[in-house]
Amino acid sequence: MINEETKQWAQSILEKIDQKLVIEAKRQGGKIPYIPDEKSGRYEVDMAENDPVWWTNGFWSGMMWQMYHATNKDIYKETAELNEAALDKAFDIYTGLHHDVGFMWLHTAVANYRLTENERSKARGLHAAHLLAGRYNPRGKYLRSWNRDRAGWVIIDSMLNIPLLYWAKETIGDPRFGYVAEDHADKVMNHIVRPDGSVNHIGVFDPTNGELLETPAGQGYASGSAWSRGQSWAIYGFALSYLHTNKTAYLETAKKVAHYFISEVSKNDWIPVVDFRAPKEPVMIDTSAGMCAACGFLEIAKHVSEYEKGLYIDAAVNLLQAVEAKYAIWDPEKDGLIDYSTGSYHEDAWTEVPIIYGDYYFVEAILRLLEKDFLIW
């Protein structure tokens, strides 16, 4: 269903990505990047030293493993292995870790184990999976997000962390990891995804009984709005939960949120704004939402009929081509691949800048178009 013209375009982009990431990997060594410095355009901060428990610390390694799988170049494997070892500091700190251990160790240890069967990596992945499963509330049937005084908080981002539990279930043959993941996915599906396919960022539940109490704004514009990256977390997260469980409700939920996303982003020439229900001014862009959604669309396309595949593949290609044409960073002297990602609607420090997870999803989506990716999730 992916036509030859699209494949040729994707191959040309992959060649540019490869050239750029080899340069960046050599420049980084064992450092873990996040956002380039505004003045130099380079990754100046090593997150392995600055904040080992930061939630994005796995995405650089994820890119490295994807590129190693696609090209077999040792520099990618070596860089990823250095990052994986550096994250052992996060285990030692422990108190800063929360639901995002999936993002951190799926892309490092689990990716390594999937490709090389490294036993130390397997142990790290299982360590992280046990930490995530330990956040399960058996009365509310959800995994709590974040820390501090937020025992009832669940955020939509969690849907892309629970694949760590599906992996643990299969790896050690223990169904309880799957029960926890499915209980959580059901909770999110029934209480955080709205009937029209838009998505709350946060659901606050009573931790004693699981009753939904409120849905505050989070990283979107306001309560009741539609934070675009939250939509993309849901699209890809539910598509992956379907992949691991074959529960039709998960695929239907992914499709429902995908249709909402497509209807909104197509109004802006396939460039995602930060929140689909924010005021028209100021215009704020979040390319990372589009890159993650593109991966989700391509995952959905694997599981639907031939009559449906085209909708999702075309949407993914439209997003990738629109964002690449306007926001790609191909200058080898600059770090980052895709500009204009935004972390949060109300956080100026992370507004319209290159962010590591936007780059990761861009790379994965391009490799998916070429069938050169592997399942990190």
Side-chain angles (χ1 to χ4, degrees), residues 62-78:
M63 273 196 288
M64 296 295 101
W65 283 120
Q66 289 285 9
M67 291 301 293
Y68 174 69
H69 177 263
T71 69
N72 206 34
K73 291 184 178 180
D74 287 339
I75 188 170
Y76 293 131
K77 179 175 184 286
E78 292 162 1

Side-chain angles (χ1 to χ4, degrees), residues 35 47 51 70 91 96 124 132 137 168 232 248 294 310 340 358 364 367 369:
I35 296 174
M47 296 301 288
D51 192 354
F91 284 138
R124 287 172 172 136
L132 183 56
N137 181 317
S232 71
T248 304
Y340 273 68
E364 185 188 302
L367 292 176
L369 290 177

Side-chain angles (χ1 to χ4, degrees), residues 199-364:
V199 178
N200 293 300
H201 180 201
I202 301 170
V204 180
F205 298 93
D206 184 328
T208 68
N209 60 24
E211 178 187 352
L212 181 65
L213 302 177
E214 59 176 321
T215 54
Q219 288 165 250
Y221 172 70
S223 178
S225 66
W227 177 47
S228 61
R229 196 165 74 253
Q231 317 301 302
S232 71
W233 295 143
I235 294 164
Y236 200 10
F238 279 104
L240 289 165
S241 277
Y242 174 75
L243 170 69
H244 289 291
T245 67
N246 284 319
K247 282 182 117 175
T248 304
Y250 295 157
L251 181 60
E252 292 304 313
T253 299
K255 290 166 62 176
K256 179 169 69 173
V257 182
H259 296 167
Y260 178 85
F261 191 102
I262 291 168
S263 71
E264 293 298 321
V265 76
S266 62
K267 298 173 185 176
N268 195 43
D269 297 325
W270 298 93
I271 302 295
V273 294
V274 176
D275 194 307
F276 293 132
R277 291 178 179 166
K280 291 185 178 180
E281 299 291 338
V283 176
M284 294 172 60
I285 302 301
D286 182 13
T287 55
S288 72
M291 301 302 89
C292 180
C295 292
F297 294 154
L298 293 173
E299 182 63 38
I300 292 172
K302 289 165 48 180
H303 306 294
V304 297
S305 70
E306 291 300 315
Y307 301 104
E308 295 180 87
K309 287 183 188 297
L311 168 67
Y312 302 106
I313 292 171
D314 289 350
V317 172
N318 287 340
L319 283 165
L320 292 165
Q321 291 186 337
V323 167
E324 187 277 328
K326 198 167 184 179
Y327 298 114
I329 306 168
W330 296 126
D331 181 352
E333 296 302 312
K334 304 288 186 181
D335 285 328
L337 296 174
I338 298 293
D339 207 347
Y340 273 68
S341 291
T342 296
S344 176
Y345 190 93
H346 297 291
E347 180 62 62
D348 291 341
W350 302 332
T351 300
E352 298 183 339
V353 294
I355 304 180
I356 196 68
Y357 48 78
D359 287 1
Y360 171 80
Y361 289 111
F362 176 62
V363 170
E364 185 188 302

